[in-house]
């Protein structure tokens, strides 16, 4: 076994110039007259081997990583068959650290070329300022370019090109320089011009310049491809961005970190999740350490898909790679968790962010409030609000209004009033139109008519514009309170102040008309509706006429629905059915329910399995639900008489409503069930659910044949 020796010696080195055959171990370009203390480590190797391993005195000393590179790429390199395939799912990927493989990206941006001293810089910059001040037309530019103070050289042209602020001027100057043929056009000229065009989102011009470079055999470098890809991304031309990235990769040119993060975002926005993960894993395997921007891209991608496991994967990757999330990453992940429906994880992530020393901004708090409001976590939302006040975190209009809307959704009246008063006392976040609308929604939902009217008068005094949503909330409140005269006044004032009725407001007026008890009140509401939607009023008069045939009703109903916003179509049909039932037009109500089902307004109304048939009326109004129940019972009676196969259980679901002020269907539906003496009974285990067995239904049909066929 070879022994090794390591000691410190004082050596005075003196080598005759004539002795050229002796191996020189220690040489310096400058002489030293004093002794040199060095460490010598030796073992049992022969002198020949030592001489062979002696470094060349003229060669630059290599770093440790550079010395180990040949060893890792030859001696320790496994066979090709040992390659580990990449995973496309969000799991960790094992990478052999000694295996040579083609890198995925260049880990450094290219350095910008430095300018040499130019005594004419001042004149050229003044001239560039004149070019910036002229019009963005080619004629104006050509007139201004004639005043150029010096003959353009390569350096002068680059200085002017970099000083131009508008993409039009950069493009005109670039073409002018080409036309002069003063010097060959290099890659840097194209890169500077392309960057200016990128600010103007002129991808087509950039692509033309790139193709021109290819035709003229001018090299496209990393910056060229990066500019093309990022411009395509900004223009939402994802296919083009992917195409240029693939062309770049085929040329053997490796993308840098900026290009890599951009192409990850492109793949994510294109919905190509597998490609994003594959590209990400290949980059990490090649030594790339993703930055917070890359993780924001991944988090946003998983959030759009509502993928909770993907969001957890992003968090785990950041921890494993030692990447500290910044505020942008936290905001992106919180928004992603809102779509994934994970309020608990969002709360934990927010606490982690605060503990790390980051201060949440308005976007952070708004995202978290939306999550709590959607999950109906009133307690957590109010605790967060108190933390905002204690820590004096910044709040803007969007955050205040999000808090107010959350209070409206959950029914927190007192908390909303306190928040509204805080806004009034604020120096920079006074209540705006949306703030007043949220309060009108709260008072309207709770039936507090006096406060709603008082708030409306306050808006008029302060000059706060009322929007169509606020008008709708107030009219709904007044309609439920049967204060029709005030309703007409509010509608008139709103129209005079510039409110343009939409389908939701028309549906609200139609709903109020269905609640009116006297024909005089109905006429007042219909007068307002005539001003908002004359076509709807014409159809309403048509269905009230008993002489109108079903085919005519069907055609006009289709025309009305076609011109209505999608989310307002079912409410329209519900209100029309309610009006028909209130006026004892039950047959017409059944026709409208059939048409609504025919045109897809009531998906999921009927559901069938082998053991259970159900009627789901949770999206119907009271009158529409009663009509649907009658229609269902008639159909079941016919099936019983034909002695067809029936399931064991029948369910009718009305729901209970999660809003504090919601008025569910259960009470009205139960009353109608009792009126029909139907065999359904309230379920003991599930609120808002009525149950009947097959035996009960058959017995009921057999006992009441006349009532079923009526």
């Amino acid at each position: 076994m070879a022994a090794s020796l390591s000691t410190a010696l004082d050596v005075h080195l003196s080598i005759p110039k004539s002795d050229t055959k002796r191996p020189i171990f220690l040489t310096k370009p400058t002489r030293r007259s004093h002794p040199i203390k060095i460490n010598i480590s030796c073992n049992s190797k022969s002198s020949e081997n030592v001489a062979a391993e002696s470094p060349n005195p003229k060669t630059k000393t290599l770093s440790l990583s550079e010395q180990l590179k040949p060893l890792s790429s030859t001696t320790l390199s496994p066979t090709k068959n040992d390659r580990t395939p990449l995973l496309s799912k969000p799991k960790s990927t094992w990478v052999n650290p000694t295996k040579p493989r083609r890198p995925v990206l260049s880990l450094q941006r290219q350095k910008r070329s430095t300018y040499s001293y130019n005594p004419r810089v001042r004149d050229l910059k003044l001239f560039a300022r004149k070019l910036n001040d002229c019009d963005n037309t080619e004629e104006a530019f050509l007139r201004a370019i004639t005043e150029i103070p010096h003959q353009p050289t390569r350096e002068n042209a680059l200085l002017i090109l970099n000083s131009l602020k508008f993409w039009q001027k950069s493009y005109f100057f670039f073409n002018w320089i080409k036309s002069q043929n003063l010097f060959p056009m290099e890659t840097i000229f194209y890169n500077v011009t392309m960057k200016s065009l990128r600010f103007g989102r002129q991808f087509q011009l950039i692509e033309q310049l790139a193709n021109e470079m290819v035709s003229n055999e001018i090299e496209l470098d990393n910056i060229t491809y990066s500019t093309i890809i990022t411009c395509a991304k900004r223009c939402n031309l994802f296919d083009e961005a992917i195409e240029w990235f693939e062309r770049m990769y085929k040329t053997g040119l490796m993308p840098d970190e900026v290009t890599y993060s951009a192409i990850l975002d492109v793949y994510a926005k294109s919905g190509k999740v597998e490609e994003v993960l594959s590209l990400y894993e290949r980059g990490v395997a090649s030594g790339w350490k993703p930055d917070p921007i890359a993780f924001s891209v991944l988090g946003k991608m998983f959030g759009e898909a509502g993928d909770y496991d993907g969001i957890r994967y992003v968090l785990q990757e950041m921890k494993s790679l030692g990447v500290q999330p910044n505020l942008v990453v936290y905001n992106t992940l919180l928004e992603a968790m809102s779509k994934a429906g994970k309020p608990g994880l969002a709360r934990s992530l927010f606490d982690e962010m605060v503990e790390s020393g980051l201060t949440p901004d308005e976007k952070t708090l708004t995202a978290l409030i939306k999550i709590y409001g959607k999950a109906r976590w009133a307690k957590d939302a109010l605790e967060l609000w108190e933390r905002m006040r204690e820590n004096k975190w910044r709040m803007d209009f969007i955050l205040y209004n999000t808090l107010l809307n959350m209070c409206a959704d959950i029914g927190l009246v007192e908390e909303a009033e306190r928040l509204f008063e805080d806004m009034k006392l604020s120096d920079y976040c006074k209540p705006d139109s949306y703030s007043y609308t949220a309060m009108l929604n709260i008072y309207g939902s709770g039936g507090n008519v006096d406060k709603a009217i008082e708030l409306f008068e306050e808006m008029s005094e302060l000059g706060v514009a009322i929007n169509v949503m606020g008008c709708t909330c107030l009219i709904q409140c007044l309609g439920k309170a049967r204060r029709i005269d005030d309703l007409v006044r509010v509608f008139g004032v709103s129209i005079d102040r510039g409110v343009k009725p939409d389908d939701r407001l028309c549906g609200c007026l139609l709903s109020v008309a269905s609640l009116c008890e006297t024909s005089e009140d109905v006429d007042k509401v219909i007068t307002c509706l005539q001003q908002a939607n004359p076509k709807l009023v014409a159809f309403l008069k048509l269905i009230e006429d008993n002489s109108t045939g079903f085919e005519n009703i069907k055609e006009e109903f289709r025309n009305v629905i076609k011109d209505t916003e999608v989310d307002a179509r079912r409410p329209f049909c519900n209100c029309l059915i309610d009006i028909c039932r209130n006026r004892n037009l039950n047959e017409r109500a059944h026709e409208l329910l059939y048409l609504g089902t025919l045109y897809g307004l009531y998906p999921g109304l009927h559901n069938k399995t082998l053991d259970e048939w159900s009627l789901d009326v949770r999206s119907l109004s009271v009158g529409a639900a009663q009509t649907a129940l009658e229609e269902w019972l008639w159909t079941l009676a016919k099936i019983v008489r034909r002695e067809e196969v029936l399931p064991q259980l029948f369910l009718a679901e009305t729901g209970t409503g999660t809003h504090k002020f919601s008025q569910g269907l259960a009470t009205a539906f139960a009353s109608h069930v009792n009126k029909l003496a139907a065999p359904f009974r309230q379920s003991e285990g599930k609120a808002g659910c009525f149950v009947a067995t097959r035996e009960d239904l058959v017995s009921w049909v057999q006992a009441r044949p006349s009532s079923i066929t009526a």
Side-chain angles (χ1 to χ4, degrees):
M1 186 172 181
S4 60
L5 173 64
S6 179
T7 185
L9 301 176
D10 288 339
V11 180
H12 181 73
L13 185 63
S14 178
I15 301 175
K17 294 183 180 180
S18 59
D19 192 357
T20 58
K21 296 182 180 180
R22 183 176 300 175
I24 299 175
F25 292 95
L26 302 170
T27 60
K28 289 286 182 179
T30 59
R31 296 182 179 179
R32 294 177 181 263
S33 60
H34 56 276
I36 303 174
K37 182 178 288 188
I38 61 173
N39 289 330
I40 298 179
S41 178
C42 61
N43 52 25
S44 60
K45 289 184 179 182
S46 63
S47 60
E48 291 82 358
N49 293 336
V50 173
E53 293 174 359
S54 299
N56 190 337
K58 296 182 180 180
T59 306
K60 182 181 177 181
T61 303
L62 299 178
S63 66
L64 179 61
S65 62
E66 292 172 329
Q67 297 176 42
L68 293 177
K69 185 176 181 181
L71 179 65
S72 64
S73 62
T74 57
T75 308
L76 302 180
S77 178
T79 61
K80 294 183 178 180
N81 296 330
D82 294 337
R83 293 187 178 180
T84 303
L86 291 172
L87 299 177
S88 59
K89 295 183 179 180
K91 296 180 181 178
S92 59
T93 304
W94 181 86
V95 179
N96 189 344
T98 63
K99 178 179 169 57
R101 62 182 302 161
R102 181 184 178 188
V104 176
L105 74 165
S106 172
L107 297 180
Q108 292 187 359
R109 296 283 285 170
Q110 292 189 3
K111 295 182 179 180
R112 295 186 177 184
S113 61
T114 57
Y115 294 107
S116 59
Y117 174 71
N118 190 341
R120 301 172 179 175
V121 168
R122 184 173 178 276
D123 294 340
L124 294 173
K125 286 190 174 182
L126 289 175
F127 175 69
R129 188 179 302 174
K130 290 181 180 179
L131 291 180
N132 285 323
D133 293 339
C134 73
D135 294 337
N136 289 331
T137 61
E138 190 170 6
E139 294 77 10
F141 176 83
L142 292 177
R143 286 195 301 268
I145 199 67
T146 57
E147 301 178 9
I148 188 168
H150 305 289
Q151 179 73 12
T153 62
R154 178 185 181 277
E155 289 73 19
N156 294 350
L158 278 176
L159 191 148
I160 295 174
L161 193 58
N162 272 302
S163 302
L164 297 177
K165 298 179 180 179
F166 305 100
W167 67 266
Q168 295 93 336
K169 310 290 178 55
S170 300
Y171 188 62
F172 294 152
F173 184 76
F174 175 76
N175 289 332
W176 181 80
I177 286 293
K178 282 195 303 182
S179 65
Q180 300 300 307
N181 284 326
L182 298 174
F183 45 81
M185 300 303 295
E186 303 174 14
T187 303
I188 189 171
F189 286 93
Y190 284 90
N191 288 344
V192 174
T193 306
M194 285 181 178
K195 285 186 177 182
S196 181
L197 292 172
R198 182 177 60 183
F199 282 110
R201 300 179 185 269
Q202 301 296 315
F203 177 75
Q204 307 231 341
L205 292 178
I206 288 179
E207 195 170 37
Q208 289 176 12
L209 293 180
N211 292 328
E212 180 181 310
M213 293 177 71
V214 174
S215 302
N216 297 335
E217 298 183 353
I218 300 175
E219 179 187 3
L220 280 73
D221 62 8
N222 200 307
I223 297 177
T224 312
Y225 282 106
S226 176
T227 307
I228 298 171
I229 293 168
T230 52
C231 181
K233 175 197 162 190
R234 293 183 186 182
C235 298
N236 295 325
L237 301 173
F238 302 138
D239 293 337
E240 287 79 356
I242 294 173
E243 177 186 350
W244 278 99
F245 177 74
E246 292 174 351
R247 289 178 62 174
M248 175 185 188
Y249 203 68
K250 288 177 182 178
T251 61
L253 193 63
M254 296 300 102
D256 54 26
E257 296 98 323
V258 176
T259 312
Y260 206 67
S261 297
I263 201 63
L264 281 177
D265 195 18
V266 167
Y267 275 120
K269 290 180 178 179
S270 302
K272 299 180 179 180
V273 179
E274 295 295 326
E275 287 82 349
V276 172
L277 295 175
S278 176
L279 198 61
Y280 169 79
E281 291 172 353
R282 286 164 54 195
V284 173
S286 295
W288 172 53
K289 185 177 181 180
D291 57 2
I293 297 177
F295 284 113
S296 295
V297 170
L298 294 177
K300 186 176 181 180
M301 177 186 70
F302 288 124
E304 292 291 336
D307 188 349
Y308 171 62
D309 293 332
I311 297 172
R312 291 185 58 190
Y313 166 70
V314 174
L315 293 173
Q316 292 171 0
E317 282 289 293
M318 295 182 74
K319 290 181 180 179
S320 64
L321 295 174
V323 177
Q324 179 63 34
N326 57 18
L327 193 58
V328 175
V329 176
Y330 277 115
N331 291 347
T332 302
L333 291 176
L334 285 173
E335 292 176 0
M337 289 173 193
S338 175
K339 297 180 180 179
K342 297 294 179 181
L345 182 60
R347 180 176 57 189
S348 301
L349 188 65
F350 177 77
D351 293 338
E352 175 188 317
M353 183 196 74
V354 176
E355 291 174 1
S356 69
L358 292 175
T359 302
D361 61 2
E362 301 90 331
K363 291 184 179 180
T364 316
L365 300 172
T366 301
L368 194 58
I369 287 295
K370 287 182 178 179
I371 293 173
Y372 288 160
K374 187 177 180 180
R376 312 192 75 79
W377 283 21
K379 181 180 178 182
D380 294 87
L382 294 176
E383 289 178 354
L384 179 61
W385 179 34
E386 293 298 331
R387 290 179 66 181
M388 294 180 200
R389 300 178 65 183
E390 292 175 2
N391 296 307
K392 296 182 179 180
W393 288 335
R394 284 188 353 185
M395 300 178 65
D396 58 3
F397 285 108
I398 298 177
L399 180 54
Y400 269 115
N401 292 338
T402 301
L403 281 167
L404 286 174
N405 288 326
M406 182 210 65
C407 293
D409 292 337
I410 302 177
L412 303 175
V413 180
E414 295 180 2
E415 292 79 359
E417 289 177 339
R418 286 175 52 201
L419 184 62
F420 193 67
E421 290 300 321
D422 282 353
M423 291 187 71
K424 289 183 177 180
L425 298 175
S426 174
D427 295 331
Y428 55 90
C429 285
K430 297 292 183 181
D432 60 359
S433 177
Y434 295 100
S435 310
Y436 278 95
T437 298
M439 293 303 298
L440 287 173
N441 187 17
I442 292 173
Y443 291 143
S445 300
N448 198 332
V449 183
D450 293 333
K451 284 192 175 182
I453 289 292
E454 181 181 346
L455 202 63
F456 179 75
E457 299 295 344
E458 181 181 320
M459 294 177 68
S460 300
E461 293 175 2
L462 297 177
V464 179
I466 185 170
N467 54 35
V468 65
M469 184 61 188
C471 178
T472 302
C473 294
L474 186 54
I475 285 178
Q476 185 179 21
C477 177
L478 295 171
K480 289 181 179 179
R482 305 299 192 272
R483 293 175 58 168
I484 306 302
D485 291 335
D486 288 333
L487 182 150
V488 174
R489 181 178 65 85
V490 168
F491 179 81
V493 171
S494 301
I495 296 298
D496 293 340
R497 294 175 63 180
V499 173
K500 295 182 179 180
D502 61 359
D503 289 334
R504 183 175 296 182
L505 177 56
C506 294
C508 182
L509 290 171
L510 200 60
S511 176
V512 173
S514 68
L515 297 174
C516 292
E517 299 174 351
T518 64
S519 58
E520 182 181 356
D521 289 342
V522 172
D523 292 339
K524 292 178 181 178
V525 176
I526 294 299
T527 301
C528 296
L529 187 59
Q530 174 70 33
Q531 189 175 353
N533 193 335
K535 191 173 184 178
L536 184 59
V537 174
F539 179 74
L540 186 60
K541 293 179 179 179
L542 189 67
I543 62 177
E544 291 176 348
D545 188 356
N546 292 326
S547 62
T548 307
F550 174 72
E551 292 299 327
N552 193 6
I553 293 292
K554 180 179 178 180
E555 181 64 24
E556 293 301 323
F557 181 82
R558 187 178 68 85
N559 293 333
V560 170
I561 293 301
K562 181 179 65 175
D563 297 335
T564 305
E565 294 291 335
V566 175
D567 58 350
R569 292 175 180 176
R570 185 169 61 232
F572 272 26
C573 191
N574 285 339
C575 293
L576 291 171
I577 293 174
D578 289 345
I579 291 175
C580 289
R581 292 192 70 91
N582 291 340
R583 301 188 182 186
N584 295 321
L585 300 172
N586 291 343
E587 184 177 353
R588 191 73 79 194
H590 283 274
E591 291 176 353
L592 292 174
L593 179 65
Y594 167 75
L595 292 175
T597 306
L598 179 66
Y599 292 119
L601 305 185
Y602 301 108
L605 181 61
H606 299 282
N607 300 285
K608 291 184 178 181
T609 63
L610 292 176
D611 302 324
E612 178 183 295
W613 289 1
S614 63
L615 176 71
D616 188 350
V617 297
R618 286 176 292 184
S619 63
L620 277 66
S621 61
V622 172
Q626 293 172 347
T627 306
L629 176 62
E630 294 171 356
E631 194 77 32
W632 194 41
L633 290 176
W634 293 345
T635 303
L636 293 177
K638 294 177 183 178
I639 295 175
V640 170
R641 287 201 180 88
R642 292 195 297 263
E643 298 182 356
E644 297 179 7
V645 179
L646 293 171
Q648 180 59 37
L649 197 63
F650 297 87
L651 299 178
E653 297 183 78
T654 62
T656 57
T658 56
H659 197 287
K660 179 180 177 180
F661 303 124
S662 62
Q663 301 176 359
L665 291 172
T667 303
F669 192 84
S671 176
H672 199 60
V673 166
N674 294 332
K675 179 180 178 181
L676 297 175
F680 289 89
R681 63 184 183 278
Q682 179 71 48
S683 173
E684 297 179 358
K686 185 177 180 181
C689 182
F690 297 82
V691 185
T693 62
R694 176 173 54 198
E695 292 76 13
D696 294 338
L697 183 65
V698 172
S699 300
W700 179 75
V701 172
Q702 292 175 350
R704 294 173 177 81
S706 59
S707 62
I708 295 299
T709 56

